[in-house]
Amino acid sequence: MASKLSKITTGYHTFVPNQVLTHNQLNELVTYLDDQSRLAKVFLQGVGIVCGFSARVIKMKGIGLEKDTAIEIEKGIGITTDGDLIQLKQTKANAITAELPEMPAVYTHYKKFLDDKAEYEPFKKQNGLVDMWEILPGSTGSTGKLNNLKLDDKVVVLYLESYANDGNLCTSIDCDNQGIEEVQKLRILLISEKTAELIVKNDPVFVWHNIAEKYINLPEIKLPRVNLLSTNNLANLRQSFLAAMSQTVLTKLKEGYNTLYVIFGQASVSAQIDKLLKLNLNAKNLLVDFQYRYDLLADLIATYNEIKELLYQINVECSPSINSFPKHLFLGRLNETGTFPKYRHRMYKSPLSTIEQKNRSKVESLLARGNQLLTNYQVNLAESVQAIRITPSQLNGDLGTRAIPFYYSISTDLLRLWCFEKTDNLKSTFHYSYSTDLLADFPEIRKPLQFSTDEFGFYRIEGHLQLDALECRDQINSQIATYGLDFVCRIVTLDDSENAFVGFVKNHPQLEHRGGVGKGGTFVLVANKNKVVADFYLPYLVADESTAQNCCSLMECTYPWISSLKYLNNLARSTKGTQSRNKVMPKNYVLQVVEYRINGQNLINGATNIVIPLSKIFLRRIHSITEALNSRFDKGLVFDFNESQKRFVITYAKEDSFVLRVRDITLNYANPTYTFSNKGMFRNNKVFRPDAMRCRDLKKYQAAFYEALQQKIAPVNKDDDYGKFNEKWKKWNLLKERLPDHAEIQRLKLTRMITSVNQLPAEIATTVRQLKNEFQGIVETQLQFKLDGDWVNGEWVNSAMLDYYKANKKNTHDDLVLFVSLRKYLHSETGISKLSIYITNQVYNNDFDELIEKYNSFADIYFGAPSGANAISL
């Protein structure tokens, strides 16, 4: 039988007094009213399962019934796309109260169902009807118990069997008969999952909204934090940001956006996804906007997560197809084990009564915004920078609630897509941004600092990159004073000759880049050769240290240490050998600080023990002691050890006086006490060695000065023999030196330090020649290529080495296995090493983009001169 709404009655006749009514006129009125009722339900309320209708297999309980299988269906309500309201409930009398509580419907028997009367179109297949079984609450002559029916692969379907019962010739035209009977009978059916799959393919509403599995499998993506702990020059700083933009994160982002584009049927899906990875990271050694590229990745992740948050809340249909499920509802599988049921109609709501339509529109807007971010990203310092500007914004929350960053070129499309809520309220130009040309022409929008900023907790600061650091700070401080802004600006140098930035990070590990500063925080300008190369943010105020650092002259004094290096070495090595049978050997080196005064002020109240594991002494000897002292007394003298002179070093303010009394109590509490002071060194209060130094006591102890002194010159991770300490890097260099002698490397006849293009493996050399030819075909100039990076530094890994590693990775004594494993830990690289190819006589332009993408997995392409000392010509 055809759906009621397949042909809608649009008019009817009105009646007049004494009119003789025909059956057509009466049927016309009834059909019109019925159509309007159905249309209202389908298009103004929604279709699908409103509530209930959960189905499950149970075992009957009662005498003789324990082994009987039954299907229990919870009461519920649903609406089909033909406007039929389906309700299912069962009542059971309560003998005590005579009430009729609603109970789940229970079915124990089944029979084969043939839809021979209604001939429902979705149940038809090429050679007849699909296989269906009707379940019943009790036994009839032709039924069987559910025990005998396989239920593991069955899907429950509510089917409203609708057909006209014409009767026989006599009754259908008898004047006493009430007309043709319209039968509406609810059937509870079981079908196989294979049959269900065939039916839902022709259900456009179900197909579009069947995204539960895709939603669950969307990758979780968070922005990696930049590791600044080992950053002591500009190249390291760039690399720290690029390491955070790992291939793992980019791959997840590509997968996530690709899934979203497929769901929403976006055109040019592949082109959109390619843009997501087109961050031009190949130019990493030349980038001045590496922080902004990190910000771009953050914005893409934020947009992706906003979409993901809304994706499962868009079950709305503006005009559902009436042919989707006109007379049936899928209730799901009987053996459902997943988080979301596979074959079950949800409630697909009308836009009139819910916010789902707005959610769906917002998701589509956010997808378009992701594309727009990539299209509009642009940092042209020569043209874009007009002045240093401070723009009120938000630190957290949805991206659309924040100011539009400096690194996007403003367009009407970007303004429309930046914040869905503002555009929905006809305020797409009411954003804050560095560029104000296309914003609403109101002072409150274009000059926001002239008005109250109480609702904002963050300031974007932009336009300072590559400018003079002192001039930038002066301009920012001027705006702070003019507009009464609640933050401070500081400069930290990042030059190869100084470790000020390393010390600053050590003392302020909360440092991070956010493109500005929060209220009550510190905006940190990082200067290299007096030019601003980066900026960071601290959530608290950092006092100006210039006064403290310049208030005093420094004095550096050296002394013999109280213990010999031989003693320390033997003590540390005791943990590695066989333990003594006579007494228990110590696990820690213990230095007791008996007295510590600066300018007469005590820094300790009673004796203080400094406990250092002997494992650290074994690796770093006296440097582990000086670092422990600096860490424990971070507002005091600065301690170090001079490796060449083998002497203990104390740095202090020239005019200050100090006394430091210590003794080694690791093995014996009766050891002598040694005193270090600005007047000499003493052993048990007697002169240990004459010292000609003299100091005048002019100042009291200043904690702020010594805290700043610690930050500026306290050694970080030093080692007696290897300078900056990092045991894994030491091991990496050792393995790199030993690898050429490895049996597998010699068997494969591989050259580790490539000094000529002829030494490249054959498969690599072939691809290099192809790459050069294709790049050369773009320009007329004869291009010059150079190779730098892992392949010329002896750090590369090829497929043969990876195969060897996989086959022998349990052998922790194999140098090649250790090399590949440590490479993963230190460099986060697990695949074949890419080539770093430089085109030295050509400026980058967009014509090269296609080839850069083509060879992205094989080589990083740079435009400019290589910086490595081992670079070779290709």
Side-chain angles (χ1 to χ4, degrees):
M1 184 174 182
S3 302
K4 298 288 186 180
L5 293 180
S6 60
K7 184 178 181 181
I8 299 174
T9 301
T10 59
Y12 61 91
H13 288 82
T14 57
F15 307 141
V16 297
N18 302 318
Q19 176 182 345
V20 176
L21 297 177
T22 68
H23 71 283
N24 289 331
Q25 291 170 329
L26 288 172
N27 289 336
E28 185 182 57
L29 176 60
V30 171
T31 304
Y32 175 82
L33 294 175
D34 182 53
D35 287 348
Q36 293 302 308
S37 175
R38 290 174 180 273
L39 288 171
K41 284 185 286 185
V42 172
F43 298 109
L44 298 184
Q45 297 177 19
V47 294
I49 296 176
V50 179
C51 63
F53 287 150
S54 62
R56 64 191 183 104
V57 178
I58 62 172
K59 290 293 183 180
M60 296 293 290
K61 293 183 179 180
I63 299 175
L65 299 176
E66 285 80 0
K67 295 183 180 180
D68 283 353
T69 299
I71 295 175
E72 180 182 84
I73 302 179
E74 182 190 10
K75 64 179 181 178
I77 297 174
I79 303 174
T80 70
T81 55
D82 200 27
D84 292 302
L85 183 64
I86 296 179
Q87 183 185 32
L88 179 66
K89 67 179 181 180
Q90 179 172 309
T91 59
K92 184 177 181 180
N94 187 316
I96 298 177
T97 64
E99 294 179 351
L100 297 175
E102 295 181 354
M103 304 291 292
V106 178
Y107 303 87
T108 57
H109 290 71
Y110 77 95
K111 67 177 181 179
K112 189 77 172 180
F113 178 70
L114 299 175
D115 189 32
D116 52 355
K117 295 180 179 179
E119 297 182 344
Y120 186 44
E121 188 65 30
F123 291 167
K124 294 179 180 179
K125 59 181 182 179
Q126 289 182 351
N127 56 349
L129 294 172
V130 299
D131 291 329
M132 296 174 287
W133 297 266
E134 182 181 6
I135 57 176
L136 303 165
S139 170
T140 66
S142 59
T143 60
K145 285 189 176 183
L146 285 176
N147 300 33
N148 303 323
L149 184 63
K150 180 183 177 183
L151 300 178
D152 292 344
D153 68 334
K154 295 300 185 291
V155 176
V156 183
V157 182
L158 295 184
Y159 169 48
L160 189 63
E161 185 182 21
S162 302
Y163 61 91
N165 188 5
D166 294 337
N168 55 44
L169 180 62
C170 295
T171 59
S172 63
I173 61 174
D174 189 345
C175 293
D176 295 330
N177 192 271
Q178 302 302 309
I180 299 174
E181 179 186 9
E182 296 288 342
V183 178
Q184 307 286 319
K185 187 172 184 178
L186 182 61
R187 305 276 190 176
I188 317 297
L189 305 180
L190 297 180
I191 60 174
S192 67
E193 291 186 34
K194 185 176 181 181
T195 298
E197 187 66 30
L198 292 174
I199 295 174
V200 298
K201 283 183 179 179
N202 297 314
D203 183 344
V205 174
F206 183 90
V207 169
W208 197 95
H209 290 277
N210 187 31
I211 59 173
E213 186 174 355
K214 294 178 182 177
Y215 170 73
I216 295 172
N217 292 329
L218 280 173
E220 291 289 333
I221 308 175
K222 297 293 183 183
L223 181 68
R225 185 180 174 91
V226 178
N227 184 357
L228 301 172
L229 294 178
S230 301
T231 303
N232 56 11
N233 56 52
L234 181 56
N236 285 347
L237 181 61
R238 287 194 188 105
Q239 190 57 43
S240 296
F241 274 86
L242 296 173
M245 302 169 69
S246 66
Q247 189 61 42
T248 300
V249 175
L250 294 176
T251 300
K252 283 186 177 181
L253 197 64
K254 177 179 178 180
E255 292 174 355
Y257 269 101
N258 186 48
T259 300
L260 295 173
Y261 281 127
V262 170
I263 291 174
F264 285 87
Q266 293 279 357
S268 304
V269 172
S270 60
Q272 299 285 351
I273 300 303
D274 288 341
K275 287 183 179 179
L276 290 173
L277 296 181
K278 193 176 178 182
L279 297 177
N280 200 18
L281 299 184
N282 298 323
K284 59 187 177 183
N285 290 329
L286 306 174
L287 292 176
V288 296
D289 60 332
F290 56 91
Q291 284 192 316
Y292 291 151
R293 293 179 183 273
Y294 175 79
D295 291 338
L296 171 60
L297 180 61
D299 294 346
L300 289 171
I301 292 176
T303 300
Y304 167 80
N305 285 326
E306 284 185 54
I307 297 172
K308 186 178 178 183
E309 191 72 21
L310 292 171
L311 187 60
Y312 206 64
Q313 307 301 323
I314 58 174
N315 51 320
V316 61
E317 276 291 328
C318 178
S319 180
S321 170
I322 62 172
N323 295 319
S324 286
F325 46 98
K327 297 296 178 184
H328 73 275
L329 289 171
F330 275 12
L331 304 191
R333 299 181 293 184
L334 284 173
N335 64 338
E336 192 64 64
T337 57
T339 306
F340 296 96
K342 187 173 182 181
Y343 296 106
R344 180 178 172 88
H345 282 112
R346 300 167 67 196
M347 182 60 190
Y348 313 109
K349 304 175 185 178
S350 162
L352 180 66
S353 57
T354 67
I355 65 169
E356 273 79 0
Q357 180 61 40
K358 181 170 286 189
N359 287 344
R360 181 167 176 173
S361 299
K362 184 173 181 179
V363 167
E364 292 171 344
S365 175
L366 289 171
L367 274 172
R369 185 177 77 184
N371 178 39
Q372 198 69 212
L373 297 183
L374 292 158
T375 303
N376 286 44
Y377 176 81
Q378 182 178 0
V379 179
N380 190 331
L381 297 178
E383 298 178 4
S384 302
V385 175
Q386 303 166 23
I388 297 177
R389 290 181 180 171
I390 302 175
T391 309
S393 183
Q394 302 291 354
L395 179 61
N396 298 307
D398 291 345
L399 185 63
T401 65
R402 309 177 210 170
I404 302 177
F406 159 85
Y407 44 84
Y408 295 125
S409 59
I410 302 299
S411 65
T412 54
D413 285 339
L414 182 63
L415 292 176
R416 175 176 56 82
L417 297 170
W418 184 256
C419 179
F420 175 81
E421 287 74 17
K422 284 189 176 181
T423 300
D424 197 43
N425 289 326
L426 304 180
K427 290 189 174 182
S428 62
T429 59
F430 283 64
H431 299 292
Y432 296 108
S433 177
Y434 181 92
S435 177
T436 61
D437 294 344
L438 297 180
L439 300 182
D441 192 12
F442 297 108
E444 296 89 340
I445 300 299
R446 298 198 174 193
K447 297 179 180 180
L449 293 182
Q450 296 180 359
F451 301 85
S452 172
T453 59
D454 289 347
E455 69 269 34
F456 301 101
F458 188 77
Y459 298 108
R460 289 202 64 86
I461 303 177
E462 297 159 318
H464 53 276
L465 200 62
Q466 294 296 303
L467 300 184
D468 181 82
L470 293 174
E471 182 180 343
C472 286
R473 185 182 63 182
D474 291 344
Q475 289 190 40
I476 293 172
N477 285 339
S478 175
Q479 295 189 53
I480 291 174
T482 300
Y483 300 112
L485 306 180
D486 180 20
F487 71 92
V488 297
C489 180
R490 298 287 174 259
I491 297 175
V492 179
T493 58
L494 181 65
D495 292 319
D496 295 340
S497 59
E498 298 184 17
N499 67 346
F501 186 75
V502 175
F504 193 85
V505 173
K506 175 187 174 184
N507 286 279
H508 303 287
Q510 303 92 332
L511 196 71
E512 60 179 329
H513 169 71
R514 300 298 293 269
V517 60
K519 287 185 176 180
T522 301
F523 186 62
V524 179
L525 296 171
V526 180
N528 178 264
K529 298 179 181 179
N530 300 322
K531 299 292 184 184
V532 177
V533 294
D535 62 76
F536 291 91
Y537 153 63
L538 285 170
Y540 50 83
L541 294 175
V542 176
D544 191 350
E545 300 146 354
S546 59
T547 302
Q549 291 179 351
N550 297 327
C551 69
C552 311
S553 300
L554 302 182
M555 179 67 70
E556 180 182 270
C557 299
T558 64
Y559 311 83
W561 182 240
I562 65 174
S563 307
S564 68
L565 289 177
K566 182 178 180 181
Y567 163 76
L568 290 176
N569 285 333
N570 289 336
L571 192 64
R573 289 169 184 161
S574 68
T575 61
K576 304 296 182 180
T578 303
Q579 294 295 307
S580 171
R581 296 181 180 179
N582 299 324
K583 60 180 180 180
V584 178
M585 295 301 295
K587 300 294 185 183
N588 301 305
Y589 175 84
V590 184
L591 179 70
Q592 187 177 69
V593 181
V594 180
E595 182 182 5
Y596 193 177
R597 289 184 287 110
I598 296 179
N599 291 335
Q601 180 173 328
N602 287 322
L603 273 69
I604 59 173
N605 296 318
T608 300
N609 292 344
I610 306 296
V611 180
I612 307 166
L614 287 179
S615 58
K616 291 188 176 181
I617 298 291
F618 180 81
L619 292 173
R620 305 176 61 197
R621 295 162 293 283
I622 296 180
H623 273 295
S624 62
I625 300 173
T626 59
E627 185 169 282
L629 285 168
N630 287 328
S631 177
R632 175 62 180 81
F633 305 110
D634 59 351
K635 293 182 175 62
L637 306 170
V638 179
F639 304 104
D640 199 357
F641 182 72
N642 187 304
E643 296 87 353
S644 61
Q645 299 178 13
K646 306 300 180 186
R647 290 174 66 83
F648 182 54
V649 181
I650 298 178
T651 304
Y652 64 100
K654 182 177 180 180
E655 294 83 3
D656 287 359
S657 63
F658 68 89
V659 173
L660 174 68
R661 295 178 61 211
V662 299
R663 62 178 173 178
D664 177 1
I665 61 171
T666 304
L667 298 176
N668 189 352
Y669 279 88
N671 280 338
T673 301
Y674 290 86
T675 302
F676 300 96
S677 78
N678 56 303
K679 295 183 178 180
M681 182 175 180
F682 303 85
R683 184 177 185 270
N684 288 340
N685 295 325
K686 295 182 180 180
V687 175
F688 180 64
R689 291 183 185 178
D691 196 321
M693 179 173 53
R694 296 291 182 269
C695 303
R696 292 184 300 167
D697 186 3
L698 299 178
K699 297 176 182 285
K700 296 296 182 181
Y701 165 65
Q702 296 182 17
F705 163 72
Y706 281 103
E707 185 177 17
L709 186 61
Q710 285 276 346
Q711 177 181 315
K712 184 173 179 62
I713 67 172
V716 178
N717 283 338
K718 286 186 67 178
D719 178 76
D720 292 359
D721 300 318
Y722 299 99
K724 181 178 177 181
F725 172 74
N726 192 319
E727 191 66 18
K728 291 191 180 298
W729 282 106
K730 169 191 168 184
K731 187 175 181 180
W732 169 259
N733 290 324
L734 182 62
L735 289 171
K736 188 170 69 171
E737 293 176 0
R738 286 163 35 179
L739 206 57
D741 297 327
H742 191 278
E744 181 68 9
I745 298 297
Q746 292 188 345
R747 185 186 71 82
L748 296 171
K749 297 180 181 180
L750 299 176
T751 303
R752 294 301 303 162
M753 297 285 289
I754 303 296
T755 58
S756 169
V757 68
N758 297 326
Q759 296 172 338
L760 288 171
E763 70 277 9
I764 299 295
T766 300
T767 307
V768 167
R769 285 192 294 270
Q770 179 181 339
L771 180 149
K772 289 174 60 179
N773 290 336
E774 293 190 31
F775 270 83
Q776 185 62 66
I778 293 178
V779 296
E780 297 180 358
T781 306
Q782 184 64 36
L783 297 179
Q784 297 177 6
F785 298 86
K786 282 188 175 294
L787 178 65
D788 200 356
D790 291 353
W791 284 84
V792 298
N793 294 330
E795 299 180 353
W796 57 271
V797 170
N798 68 349
S799 57
M801 293 172 65
L802 291 178
D803 291 341
Y804 180 89
Y805 166 76
K806 293 174 183 178
N808 301 276
K809 60 182 178 181
K810 292 185 178 180
N811 185 357
T812 57
H813 298 286
D814 190 294
D815 284 351
L816 198 157
V817 172
L818 293 172
F819 179 83
V820 175
S821 179
L822 197 56
R823 172 176 177 257
K824 177 181 179 180
Y825 179 87
L826 295 176
H827 300 281
S828 298
E829 295 180 0
T830 56
I832 298 172
S833 296
K834 296 169 67 175
L835 276 70
S836 297
I837 297 178
Y838 289 76
I839 302 177
T840 60
N841 63 335
Q842 176 66 41
V843 177
Y844 164 79
N845 62 65
N846 294 334
D847 295 339
F848 292 102
D849 283 351
E850 185 175 346
L851 289 179
I852 289 174
E853 291 297 324
K854 176 180 178 180
Y855 289 99
N856 182 54
S857 61
F858 174 75
D860 291 331
I861 308 298
Y862 311 120
F863 293 87
S867 57
N870 298 325
I872 65 171
S873 297
L874 283 179

